[in-house]
Structure formats: C-alpha cells, structure tokens
C-alpha cells in the first residue's frame, strides 16, 4: 500500500494541470457505472507498453513517455478520441519490446492531460476505462495497434459473499494504513468514499505492495469473487510483513531500554550491598557451600572445595579471577561424586534385550552376561575395559547402547575420530584463559552418574601432533588399576572412574598404541554370514525402514530370495550398512508408488529388486575349474569379509627372472620369493629339472589387478601354483587353501578363518587346506557353516602338495628345452 500517497498526489496534480472545472476525482458511483458499461469503443486501438506499472479501470495515473514509438502514439491519440490501450511490459529492461514482450491483457485508458517537459519527454495523465484482451496484433510500426475484445466485470449483485469481501478489503486497507506511518492519513478519507465494489478492487489492486506479475494476475481475473479473494490474500501478506517489521522495531527498542534499566538497577544494588554489607558474593558462596554439604565426595575433595570457596570470598568480585574461581567451584559441585544408578541384575532380561537388539555377536553378549553375573554375586567389581574390534557396520557402537539398556545404566558416547589434542581428554589447567575440563569429565558431568556405560567410539582413529598424544592420555583412563584416581588437569583433584563400564570400538588394532591395546580386553566382532544378514534384514532393517518411510507391514513384504539377492549382488561388506541403504531405496520406491496412487506389487521379488536397484553391482566369485597346471584357488580376508582369489603362474624362455603382478604388497611378494626358493631347494625331490630355474622366467599374477593385496596367507597357495607349473601336475578340483610358509617348508597359521570358510562355501568349494594350528578356529564356528566341506590340516608343505596335486601330468604338458651351454655347465 505504499502507493496511496502517489495516488492522492496524482489526483491533485491532475486538478492543477486541468482547466477550470476539470479537477479529476478518484471516481464516483455514476462514473463507475459508466466504466462498467459497454461504450461504443473501437475494437482496433493503439497499444502503449509501460514498464513497472499495471493500469486498472477507474484509476488515474501519470505516465512519462520517452520512446519515439510511444510519443507518436500519444500525440496521434491526443489529436483523436484520446483513447489508448495500456499493457504492462513483461521485461522492464527491454527498450524495444515486441508483441511477445508485453502482456496481452490490458486496460483501455483516456488521456486526460498531456504535458511536454523541457527535456523532451512527454507526461500524460490517463484514467483507466475498461479491461481488454488482445485478439490479434495488427501493426508494430510506427506504433503498436491491435484488435481487442473488451472484458466485462463479473460481480454478483446483492451477494453476501461480495459484501463480506468488500468489508474485509476495507478492514485490511485500514490496518495497512495504521501499520504504515509513511502513508498520509488522507488516504483513509479516499478509501471511505469508495462504495463501488469493482472500483474498490481496482483501486486497491493498483496500490498494493506487490510485483507487476501479481498485479497483472489480478487484472486478468474475470471472476469478481476470485479477484477480490486473491487481492485479500496479497493484502494479508503485506499486513503480516508490516506487523513483523513493527514487532522487530518494538523489540529492539524494548531490549535497549531493558539493558539500560538492568544496568542502573545493578549499580544501585552494588551501592546498597556495600552500605549494608549483605548478600553479594557471600550469598553465591553460601549456596555453593550448601550444595557441597549434600555431595558424597571423598574427604580430600570436600576440604579442597571448602578451601576454594574461602579463596573466592577473598577475591574482589570485579577482578578477572573471580568468575574463573566461581566456575571452577560450580564444576566441582556439579560432578556426580559416587552417585550411582542401580544395576538391573535380571540376567535373563539382559540376554533378551541383547538378543532382540543384535543378531549374532555371541562372544560379546556372553562377556556382558559374565560381567553382570560377577557383579550380582560380589556387588563390587571394577568396570572392565572392553574393545570391540571388527569391520565397519557390524553394530559395535549400537551394541554399547544395548548393553546400557540391559544393565539399566546411563549411556554416554565419545567420538574419538580426529581427536589430536591431549587437552581434549585431560582438560586444560585452569590458569589458562577459557580453560575447561576434558571430554571425560564433561561427559560425566552431563550424564550425572558415576557408573555409566561409556562408549569410546573409533579409538583407532586417535592421532597426535605438537599438542600431545591423546592415546597416551587414555593410558590412565583405561587402566582398571589406575582410573580410580584419574586426575583431570582442570579439576586438580582425583576422580574415580573405576565404576564406569568403558567400551571402546575399533576397525583396526594396528594403529592403537601397544600399551593402550594391552589395557583393553579385545573382543573380535566378525562380519555377518549370509544367513545372519538375512535374519538382521527381516527382524531389524526392513521394519526400521518401513517405519522411517511411513509405511505399515501390510504395505509391503520382502521375499527371502529378494533379500538374498540384495545381499549377494548389491552389497559387499562385513556389516549391514550398505544393506540397510539398499533396503531403504526399495522401500522409498514403494512409498513413492503409494503416494502417487500407482499400482505396485506388495511382495518384493528378486525381479523387483533388479528393476529398482538396477543391474547387479558385484559378481559372486565362483570356483573356476583348473584345466591347466599352475592355477590354484586361494582364500583371502578383506575388510568386507572373506573372498576367494586365484594364483596364476606362467613360464617363458628367459634367464630365471621372477615377475609379480596384481598390486601385491611387500609381505605377499616375500611369500612368492620364499615359495620359489623352497622349490629350488627341493627340485630333485619333486622331480623338477634344476635348469628350468635358470633358463625360464616365472610370472606370478593375482587377479584382480586393480585391487591392492597383501599378507602372508597366500604362501602355500603360491607354492602349490609354482609346484603345479614346474611339475606340470594339475591341482585337484574344488580345493582351496590358506596358510603362511617358511623357508624350511613349515606351514604357519593365519587369521580370518571364519570369513574365508564362508567365502569358500559361497563359491562352491569342497575341500580346504589349513595349518594344523588353525583347527582351534574351526571348533569355534557353528557346524551349519561347515557342512559339505572337507578340511585338511597340515604341518608342512610336503603334505600340502601331496593333497593338492594330482599324480598324473596334464594331458598336454609343457615341453622344456634347454641350451647346450647350460647342459655343459
């Protein structure tokens, strides 16, 4: 409504320029009726394009005309019937618009006055007469002309709805006048004199604070009720903005007044307290002393606290040390000294909670139940330091929350990823500016109990720099013999952490400091098997994703084969994070179909999975039949579980050079060299002509070439491949192996046996060769995962070759030829 003043000014200006008796009023009821009636207006009219302005019937506005085309149009109209069409320009920055650049609904206007200014521009004062729509553009030169159709005003007569809208529009306009002090009060008088509903909508539409596009939309609406309703909506938005602006200004003013008032009151209070010798710092200190008397802290801490309070009383309240000392005393009194939550010793309930929240992870659950059992019997046990070690996504962090729930304890988690400042663990000395306790004490203060379940997440991601080594700071925290007297740099007194159940999580043990690793009880959380992932998806992931996407159980269900397809073809991981994301994508697709009321299959099948998730991302490694000598199937452990790999070997004429390919690490290269050296030393026993080592080059390749590989567990696999190649004896069908070798031919145990066996089972292998010492790992694996596999436990390489290599040579063995020079040698 910021154009009311302009409207009044225009009206007065017209009166000044007009001759006697020509003063143009806003409009009378009779004039409004004349405007609404069809006069003998020509259907072919000149059209003037205007910028940033929309003319409405009955409204008087001045327009400055500067373009040559527009000046010609105005002068021609002034000499004739003084009627022109006025259309708003779509892009106001276009100096030479065409028909496509102007709106095709405008208002027929009558030129009331034309004034030629000294600078050459021409100003015309026009009054809107009737809305029109352009049927056919006729000319563009020397100015626009068009054939038009005039639009009638459509306002129901004697309609209660129209009366209500008219009253609402006037009330809204009055409110805007009240909220906007820039609008002159005379605008209210002009508004009160309008009794014609069509003109009221035109007058308010012309003056609302809205962009040209919005005003044009109002001009184009033929239905009177619809136009008035939209206009009221625009005005209400304007009212909201004005009210918000007024509220902000008022609040800022009030805040400033309040600050000044508070300042003066505080100054007066200081003077009164000084005169009376009452309250002031003494009151704060007494309140802290009363809180301290209720604490269950050790006697040494109580004495230290009292000493700090006495020190505060000796400090001037305006001194910089005063707030530091006060904050320190408040931190001491807010810590939960010996404030313990009661443990729930219902072991069956605890086991049910752990089983419900996590499928598998039997070792961890068993350890927690053991801890609870001893605590129940003894009622006094130092909290163990457990370290859950395993690949990402297997539920290590969420397990901490379940343990807290099972014990009935508070839960607190501290993420250690990227922590590289020792002060974040042990705190800063309170002499430093901005000093605060370390994260350990801060979290104890937050959780308000001395025996929470405290999860130290990603402890292997700790790093060190010039500010110290945080992992060294944890040596005291994670030692059951020392953490009862943990000292934070800020506190300066000992705090007992022995009742806390610390649970650390790690993806790798290699980066953990040896002294820190020694303080923790390492519990390996292995990856999930295919069967376990199926159960986790059915019991946890699918219900969770359904709930998060607003679906019910009846809206969709997953076929078991569909879940298996997602696991095998779209995820390759030890945990279930990628599986959850894939399930979420399928559920979102169903949610979209429900929201768009499309037909869909409520039963998710493997075909539906492929349609939603696209082509398979991973190919399942299957055993490849060895038809040639020198190819052996090995077993490998990766961060996403076990896999099978193939060791390929080939000989070519040369000088005994060894070539290794397939992105092999140093340890794996050393295994290959060890295997070759052993074969050379046992060549005669194995029936290998020693000359082949000097006159043939050996190439060992491990697909896939782009994937880095390392570790000693491929030792016996490489040796078997080389022995097969040199002796030209094929490797037995459907057999795999894993184990480290020594130069003496001993077979050493390796890790990741469970994952490797699962990979062999998925690939359809029937026999596996392992070190005798790995037999203990087999005994810990559920028998259902061992069905159909025959295990060979060996101590030396001779046993491996006896089991793996067939007695006869391949059908077309390689022919070795040797030079006479080497024969003579």
């Amino acid at each position: 409504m910021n154009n009311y003043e302009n409207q009044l000014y225009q009206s007065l200006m017209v009166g000044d320029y007009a001759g006697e008796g020509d003063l143009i009023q806003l409009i009378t009821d009779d004039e409004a009726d004349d405007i609404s009636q069809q006069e003998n207006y020509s259907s072919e009219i000149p059209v003037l394009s205007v910028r940033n302005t929309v003319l409405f019937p009955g409204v008087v506005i001045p327009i400055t005309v500067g373009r040559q085309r527009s000046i010609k149009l105005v002068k021609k109209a002034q000499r004739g019937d003084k009627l022109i069409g006025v259309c708003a320009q779509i892009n106001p920055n276009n100096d030479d618009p065409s028909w496509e650049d102007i709106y095709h609904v405008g208002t027929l206007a009558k030129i009331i006055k034309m004034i030629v200014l000294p600078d050459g521009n021409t100003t015309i004062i026009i009054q809107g007469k009737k809305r029109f729509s352009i049927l056919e553009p006729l000319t563009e030169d020397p100015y626009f002309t068009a054939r038009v159709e005039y639009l009638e005003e459509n306002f129901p007569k004697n309609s209660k709805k129209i009366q209500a809208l008219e009253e609402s529009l006037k009330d809204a306009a009055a409110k805007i006048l009240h909220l906007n002090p820039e609008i002159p009060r005379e605008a209210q008088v002009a508004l009160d004199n309008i009794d014609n509903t069509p003109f009221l909508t035109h007058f308010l539409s012309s003056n609302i604070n809205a962009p040209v596009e919005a005003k044009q939309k109002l001009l184009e609406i033929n239905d009177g009720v619809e136009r008035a309703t939209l206009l009221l909506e625009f005005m209400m938005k304007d009212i909201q903005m004005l009210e918000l602006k007024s509220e902000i200004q008022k609040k800022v003013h009030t805040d400033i007044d309040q600050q000044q008032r508070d300042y003066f009151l505080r100054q007066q209070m200081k003077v009164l307290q000084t005169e009376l010798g009452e309250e002031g710092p003494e009151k704060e200190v007494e309140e802290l002393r009363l809180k301290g008397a209720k604490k269950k802290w050790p006697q040494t801490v109580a004495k230290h606290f009292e000493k700090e309070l006495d020190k505060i009383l000796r400090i001037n309240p305006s001194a910089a040390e005063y707030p530091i000392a006060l904050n320190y005393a408040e931190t001491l009194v807010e810590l939960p000294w010996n404030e313990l939550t009661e443990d729930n010793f219902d072991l069956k309930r605890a086991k049910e909670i752990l089983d419900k929240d996590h499928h598998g992870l039997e070792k961890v659950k068993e350890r927690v139940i053991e801890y609870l059992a001893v605590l129940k019997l003894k009622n006094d046990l130092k909290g163990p330091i457990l370290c859950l070690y395993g690949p990402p996504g297997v539920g290590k962090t969420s397990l901490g929350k379940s343990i807290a729930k099972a014990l009935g304890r508070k839960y607190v988690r501290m993420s250690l990823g990227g922590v590289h400042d020792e002060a974040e663990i042990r705190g800063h000395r309170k002499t430093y500016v901005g000093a605060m306790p370390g994260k350990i004490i801060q979290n104890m203060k937050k959780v308000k109990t001395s025996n929470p379940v405290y999860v130290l997440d990603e402890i292997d991601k700790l790093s060190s720099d010039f500010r110290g080594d945080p992992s060294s700071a944890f040596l005291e925290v994670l030692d059951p013999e020392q953490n009862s007297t943990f000292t934070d740099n800020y506190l300066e007194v000992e705090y007992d952490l022995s009742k806390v159940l610390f649970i650390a999580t790690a993806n790798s043990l290699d980066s953990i400091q040896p002294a820190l690793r020694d303080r923790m009880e390492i519990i390996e959380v292995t990856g999930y098997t295919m069967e376990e992932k199926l159960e986790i998806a059915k019991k946890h992931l699918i219900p969770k994703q359904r709930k998060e996407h607003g679906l019910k159980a009846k809206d969709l269900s997953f076929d078991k084969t569909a879940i298996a397809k997602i696991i095998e073809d779209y995820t390759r991981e030890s945990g279930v994070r990628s599986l959850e994301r894939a399930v979420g994508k399928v559920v979102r697709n169903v949610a979209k179909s429900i929201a768009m009321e499309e037909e869909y299959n409520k039963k998710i099948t493997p075909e539906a999975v492929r349609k939603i998730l696209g082509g398979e991302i991973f190919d399942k490694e299957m055993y490849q039949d060895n038809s040639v000598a020198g190819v052996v199937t090995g077993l490998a452990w990766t961060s996403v579980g076990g896999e099978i790999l193939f060791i390929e070997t080939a000989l070519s004429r040369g000088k005994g050079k060894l070539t290794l390919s397939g992105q092999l690490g140093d340890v794996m290269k050393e295994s290959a060299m060890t295997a070759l050296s052993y074969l050379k030393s046992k060549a005669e026993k194995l029936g290998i002509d020693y000359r082949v080592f000097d006159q043939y080059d050996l190439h060992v390749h491990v697909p896939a070439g782009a994937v880095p590989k390392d570790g000693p567990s491929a030792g016996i696999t490489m040796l078997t491949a080389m022995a097969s190649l040199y002796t030209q004896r094929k490797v037995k069908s459907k057999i795999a192996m894993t184990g480290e070798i020594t130069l003496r031919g001993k077979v050493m145990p390796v890790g990741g046996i469970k994952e490797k066996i699962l990979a062999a089972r998925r690939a359809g292998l029937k026999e596996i060769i392992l070190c005798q010492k790995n037999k203990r790992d087999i005994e810990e694996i559920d028998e259902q995962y061992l069905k159909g596999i025959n295990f060979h436990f060996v101590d030396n390489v001779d046993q491996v070759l006896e089991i793996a290599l067939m007695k006869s040579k391949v059908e077309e063995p390689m022919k070795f030829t040797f030079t006479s020079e080497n024969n003579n040698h």
Side-chain angles (χ1 to χ4, degrees), residues 7-145:
Q7 171 70 31
L8 291 173
Y9 167 75
Q10 291 160 8
S11 301
L12 294 170
M13 184 179 72
V14 171
D16 291 339
Y17 282 122
E20 187 176 346
D22 286 341
L23 177 66
I24 305 299
Q25 305 297 329
L26 283 175
I27 198 164
T28 65
D29 287 343
D30 294 334
E31 286 172 336
D33 291 335
D34 290 341
I35 287 169
S36 65
Q37 291 172 4
Q38 175 71 50
E39 292 185 10
N40 191 20
Y41 296 138
S42 172
S43 62
E44 293 184 9
I45 59 171
V47 177
L48 176 68
S49 64
V50 295
R51 311 182 212 224
N52 301 316
T53 302
V54 178
L55 177 66
F56 288 80
V59 179
V60 178
I61 61 170
I63 295 176
T64 299
V65 181
R67 292 186 283 223
Q68 290 301 315
R69 180 192 291 176
S70 301
I71 291 171
K72 288 178 184 177
L73 183 152
V74 169
K75 286 182 177 178
K76 179 73 182 294
Q78 178 70 8
R79 291 194 297 271
D81 59 5
K82 300 186 178 182
L83 292 173
I84 61 172
V86 177
C87 289
Q89 202 168 302
I90 296 172
N91 181 6
N93 298 321
N94 193 341
D95 288 326
D96 187 21
S98 62
W99 282 110
E100 289 76 23
D101 298 320
I102 64 173
Y103 292 103
H104 282 214
V105 173
T107 302
L108 182 71
K110 185 171 184 179
I111 301 174
I112 298 169
K113 195 75 176 176
M114 185 172 81
I115 305 151
V116 180
L117 301 174
D119 60 2
N121 287 333
T122 301
T123 296
I124 57 172
I125 298 163
I126 57 176
Q127 182 180 34
K129 290 292 183 182
K130 196 169 186 65
R131 296 180 306 120
F132 65 81
S133 174
I134 295 174
L135 296 176
E136 180 186 4
L138 296 176
T139 64
E140 281 192 22
D141 192 50
Y143 48 78
F144 290 133
T145 60

Side-chain angles (χ1 to χ4, degrees), residues 803-821:
I803 296 165
L805 296 183
M806 298 177 73
K807 302 297 180 185
S808 59
K809 292 189 176 183
V810 293
E811 293 174 4
E812 294 183 10
M814 181 178 178
K815 302 295 184 184
F816 295 108
T817 58
F818 305 103
T819 62
S820 58
E821 183 185 350

Side-chain angles (χ1 to χ4, degrees), residues 177-188:
L177 286 170
H178 174 73
L179 289 168
N180 194 343
E182 296 175 4
I183 302 172
R185 297 302 98 189
E186 292 80 8
Q188 183 66 55

Side-chain angles (χ1 to χ4, degrees), residues 473-732:
F474 271 111
L475 294 177
E476 183 183 4
V477 176
L478 299 182
D479 189 340
E481 300 300 322
Q482 297 180 40
N483 62 12
S484 59
T485 56
F486 172 70
T487 306
D488 185 275
N489 289 331
Y490 182 81
L491 286 188
E492 297 179 351
V493 289
E494 295 173 352
Y495 188 86
D496 185 5
L497 295 174
S498 64
K499 303 289 193 302
V500 179
L501 174 52
F502 284 105
I503 299 175
T505 72
N507 298 132
S508 169
L509 299 178
D510 300 338
S511 56
I512 302 176
Q513 195 183 116
L516 183 59
R517 190 164 67 235
D518 184 59
R519 281 163 164 75
M520 299 186 291
E521 182 180 339
I522 307 294
I523 299 176
E524 187 176 359
V525 183
T526 56
Y528 295 116
T529 64
M530 170 74 174
E531 291 76 8
E532 286 173 337
K533 286 182 180 179
L534 273 170
E535 289 301 314
I536 290 168
K538 284 195 293 184
K539 292 181 180 178
H540 301 283
L541 304 184
I542 294 171
K544 179 185 174 186
Q545 289 298 319
R546 267 201 307 250
K547 185 179 178 182
E548 286 185 357
H549 292 88
L551 302 183
K552 296 175 182 174
K554 65 179 181 180
D555 293 329
L556 88 157
S557 62
F558 279 75
D559 190 79
K560 191 175 181 180
T561 55
I563 303 172
K565 183 172 182 63
I566 296 175
I567 294 167
E568 290 183 345
D569 296 340
Y570 295 93
T571 65
R572 182 167 288 183
E573 56 177 350
S574 292
V576 291
R577 282 203 185 111
S578 297
L579 175 58
E580 184 174 5
R581 283 193 289 269
V583 169
K585 189 172 182 181
V586 174
V587 174
R588 279 195 300 277
N589 187 274
V590 172
K592 182 203 74 172
S593 298
I594 294 173
M596 296 179 71
E597 298 180 357
E598 297 173 347
E599 287 189 10
Y600 71 98
N601 193 350
K602 293 184 178 182
K603 186 83 169 177
I604 302 298
T605 60
E607 292 75 22
V609 168
R610 195 178 196 284
K611 186 178 179 183
I612 295 168
L613 299 182
E616 291 81 356
I617 299 173
F618 300 107
D619 293 326
K620 190 166 68 172
E621 286 285 358
M622 295 303 292
Y623 169 75
Q624 299 172 5
D625 191 25
N626 299 336
S627 58
V628 295
V631 180
V632 184
T633 306
L635 299 174
W637 180 91
T638 70
S639 61
V640 295
E643 287 188 6
I644 66 169
L645 53 81
F646 301 98
I647 307 289
E648 301 175 346
T649 57
L651 285 172
S652 58
R653 290 302 295 264
K655 296 182 179 181
K657 180 184 173 186
L658 172 62
T659 303
L660 302 170
S661 61
Q663 278 216 57
L664 307 185
D666 291 338
V667 177
M668 210 163 179
K669 288 177 183 176
E670 289 167 3
S671 294
M673 288 186 280
T674 304
L676 184 59
S677 296
Y678 178 81
L679 281 179
K680 285 180 180 179
S681 67
K682 301 291 182 180
E684 187 176 347
K685 183 180 177 182
L686 294 170
I688 303 170
D689 192 323
Y690 72 91
R691 292 174 296 179
V692 75
F693 297 115
D694 294 328
Q695 296 188 30
Y696 282 83
D697 290 342
L698 174 63
H699 187 159
V700 179
H701 178 68
V702 186
V707 180
K709 309 163 196 75
D710 202 6
S713 61
I716 64 171
T717 318
M718 286 185 166
L719 178 74
T720 306
M722 291 178 190
S724 171
L725 183 66
Y726 284 122
T727 62
Q728 289 295 294
R729 289 161 61 187
K730 280 201 301 184
V731 177
K732 195 184 289 185

